[in-house]
Amino acid sequence: MTLRHLPPLCALLLSSFAYASPPACQNAQLDKTAQALMDRHGIPGMSVAVIDAGEVCLSHYGVATQESGTDTTAELTNDTLFEVGSLSKTFTAALGAWVHENGGFALDDTAASIEPRFSGRPVGEVSMAELATYTAGGFPLQFPSGVDDDTIHDYFVNWQPDFAAGTQRLYSNPSIGLFGLLAAQSDGASFAELMQDSVLPTLGLNATWLTVPDDQAHHYAQGYNGDEPVRVNPGPLDAEAYGIKTTALDMARFIQANIDAYQGNQNTPDGQRMAKALLTTHHGYAAVGDMQQGLGWESYALPTTLETLMAGTTAEMALEPQAVTMLATSGEPQPQRWYHKTGSTGGFGAYAAFIPSREQGIVILANKRYPNGERVEAAWQILNSLDQ
């Protein structure tokens, strides 16, 4: 594989740095796997970034749009923006951990300690860790119909749990959305301002957006639901739960930053603080079988199996409550684990994974949804090919 060095986190703090463009991956397994996925599911375009021992390569397949007469650049490039859906939760987690490391809140703090208007209500008794790990007591996957930006507060005030906090994990956009909202509030900022003006620049991610600027719109890939062109619809707490648009290259930088956090070689205060924040997101706060739920990230102890990883990304895991064992809110870094997260919107499918002990990671972005299990399988095949 022909690779080029990807800057470590300490270098990523200079967001205006002019990075060299990584080369295309020379990996037959990657090409075979990507083409098979695209053929099987009719995916118009796919970008894959592979990270190996501090180096990155990118490969692009297909097109960013099948529509004519639009401003979207048809060719997939290192600048192509994809919706990453729930992979956004790992960015929300990083923001929350960043504020936590600055003393903004403790993970055991209750929602009411940050938002006094929640006092005396069930939501007010839920901890920040429980909100971030979907163990607050039964928030639904999506907000109920009729809830909008003007009625979010009323929804949370009137929410009634289905089970005791800390006993069941039920994957939920409102739950981690509220975590992100309160984390930013504890820092005295709006979520969007803190993410776009502080967290992303600190990570050196200069092509990652909550709202794609007009001058970047031509890079924004067109998503597809079947043959229908679609893009993500706005909704309550969308920025916190599924709002990130980014490139495969910026996602690779984010994955590299997560891996670099274990090295302890950051030489600036902001770099050290961000590394601690990222490690905080990796810690397991709740266990469902073999899976540990971190902040955004889900992880599995090595050695693991493909079957185990795929079982953690089923519809059952996303849609049904699962008995959970709550773990300590602090602990030592765990480099010998497989960390991953899937993400989807109506027209996009995303996946990212990394193994700190092997200094390897992968990002797979596509402008069409396809099954989560096949994303995991593809990543497994590609990463294993690096050691052959």
Side-chain angles (χ1 to χ4, degrees):
M1 183 180 296
T2 302
L3 299 168
R4 186 172 298 173
H5 184 66
L6 183 70
L9 178 62
C10 56
L12 290 180
L13 296 175
L14 299 175
S15 61
S16 61
F17 188 84
Y19 299 105
S21 179
C25 303
Q26 304 298 315
N27 185 307
Q29 181 63 58
L30 190 161
D31 295 340
K32 177 182 176 181
T33 301
Q35 197 59 59
L37 283 174
M38 294 176 68
D39 291 344
R40 188 157 57 246
H41 299 289
I43 298 171
M46 180 176 289
S47 292
V48 182
V50 176
I51 300 100
D52 189 14
E55 300 179 312
V56 67
C57 62
L58 269 74
S59 293
H60 306 294
Y61 307 88
V63 296
T65 181
Q66 296 177 325
E67 312 306 305
S68 60
T70 70
D71 293 334
T72 301
T73 302
E75 179 186 3
L76 281 172
T77 72
N78 292 351
D79 297 319
T80 300
L81 295 165
F82 293 81
E83 296 170 11
V84 298
S86 285
L87 253 174
S88 304
K89 293 176 171 63
T90 64
F91 290 88
T92 294
L95 178 150
W98 171 260
V99 175
H100 163 71
E101 289 297 329
N102 198 37
F105 66 90
L107 289 166
D108 290 331
D109 284 350
T110 64
S113 70
I114 299 173
E115 176 47 84
R117 292 180 295 174
F118 289 160
S119 296
R121 303 287 186 167
V123 68
E125 302 304 312
V126 173
S127 74
M128 291 291 280
E130 289 165 343
L131 286 173
T133 57
Y134 324 112
T135 58
F139 284 110
L141 177 62
Q142 308 286 2
F143 282 101
S145 177
V147 177
D148 57 24
D149 290 342
D150 295 329
T151 58
I152 291 174
H153 180 266
D154 291 340
Y155 168 77
F156 286 121
V157 164
N158 294 314
W159 170 76
Q160 295 295 319
D162 293 324
F163 29 77
T167 63
Q168 300 283 321
R169 174 190 180 273
L170 183 59
Y171 188 72
S172 168
N173 286 336
S175 187
I176 199 166
L178 182 57
F179 168 80
L181 187 72
L182 293 177
Q185 183 174 328
S186 74
D187 198 55
S190 75
F191 179 86
E193 289 172 339
L194 189 57
M195 179 66 79
Q196 202 71 64
D197 298 339
S198 182
V199 173
L200 295 177
T202 299
L203 286 164
L205 306 184
N206 53 10
T208 300
W209 313 99
L210 291 172
T211 300
V212 177
D214 290 343
D215 64 356
Q216 297 297 309
H218 62 290
H219 293 311
Y220 191 171
Q222 178 61 65
Y224 289 90
N225 182 1
D227 293 327
E228 179 184 1
V230 294
R231 286 206 176 126
V232 67
N233 291 319
L237 300 187
D238 54 349
E240 292 83 348
Y242 53 87
I244 289 287
K245 295 88 178 173
T246 189
T247 66
L249 179 55
D250 254 22
M251 272 302 308
R253 290 172 177 152
F254 183 49
I255 295 302
Q256 185 68 59
N258 278 271
I259 294 171
D260 283 345
Y262 290 82
Q263 307 304 316
N265 57 1
Q266 293 74 33
N267 57 9
T268 69
D270 273 351
Q272 294 164 6
R273 177 179 161 201
M274 182 58 77
K276 289 180 180 179
L278 294 176
L279 291 176
T280 295
T281 70
H282 300 172
H283 178 71
Y285 298 89
V288 179
D290 293 323
M291 186 269 281
Q292 286 191 3
Q293 178 67 64
L295 305 183
W297 298 106
E298 299 156 15
S299 74
Y300 296 81
L302 298 178
T304 189
T305 66
L306 174 59
E307 290 72 23
T308 296
L309 296 175
M310 292 175 67
T313 61
T314 61
E316 179 183 10
M317 284 292 287
L319 300 176
E320 299 179 13
Q322 308 289 328
V324 69
T325 300
M326 299 304 292
L327 307 173
T329 56
S330 62
E332 294 299 315
Q334 303 178 70
Q336 294 188 344
R337 299 185 71 86
W338 175 291
Y339 294 87
H340 74 176
K341 186 70 185 78
T342 61
S344 298
T345 59
F348 291 81
Y351 181 72
F354 61 96
I355 305 168
S357 62
R358 286 168 45 181
E359 297 185 62
Q360 292 177 338
I362 190 168
V363 174
I364 307 175
L365 305 181
N367 57 352
K368 190 176 185 180
R369 295 179 64 169
Y370 61 103
N372 286 336
E374 295 193 42
R375 306 178 204 182
V376 177
E377 184 176 15
W380 177 273
Q381 292 171 343
I382 295 164
L383 288 181
N384 282 338
S385 74
L386 301 181
D387 299 321
Q388 296 175 2

